Amino acid sequence: MSKGYWIARVDVNDPENYPQYVETAKPAFERFGANFLARGGKTNAIEGPGRARNVVIEFPSFQHAVDCYNSPEYQEAVKIRQKVADGEIVIVEGM
């Protein structure tokens, strides 16, 4: 079974309230076996527009990654994230 990965690129507009998103999302990440491989840190946007925060999250399977995003726990966090940050999330299947 191939692993699944979230690749998230985010610009945080409200750093004071962003931690509320992180805390609300935590139960979904724990439930679906998320392993953070990259979270913020130094970046170099060598092609195309970059975002200030880039995150790579590994899941046990592609389905786990999809189910985590669609879970009620994470959907509560989405409501917060969309108020405090702009960004994109893609889910990709590992090789």
Side-chain angles (χ1 to χ4, degrees):
M1 179 182 320
S2 297
K3 293 188 177 188
Y5 298 87
W6 282 20
I7 301 172
R9 300 170 356 105
V10 179
D11 286 328
V12 176
N13 302 319
D14 183 352
E16 185 176 310
N17 289 306
Y18 190 78
Q20 183 183 2
Y21 156 72
V22 173
E23 193 61 33
T24 303
K26 189 176 180 180
F29 292 141
E30 290 174 350
R31 178 176 165 205
F32 290 96
N35 179 31
F36 285 78
L37 302 178
R39 182 188 286 171
K42 186 177 179 180
T43 63
N44 182 1
I46 57 174
E47 284 193 36
R51 293 273 188 185
R53 184 171 180 79
N54 298 277
V55 181
V56 179
I57 308 170
E58 179 183 67
F59 290 87
S61 70
F62 182 82
Q63 193 60 53
H64 277 81
V66 171
D67 290 347
C68 181
Y69 184 85
N70 291 322
S71 70
E73 301 94 332
Y74 191 73
Q75 288 304 303
E76 282 301 311
V78 167
K79 294 173 189 173
I80 298 167
R81 181 180 42 79
Q82 290 176 341
K83 291 178 185 175
V84 300
D86 297 317
E88 306 83 36
I89 298 174
V90 296
I91 299 174
V92 297
E93 184 177 31
M95 298 173 37

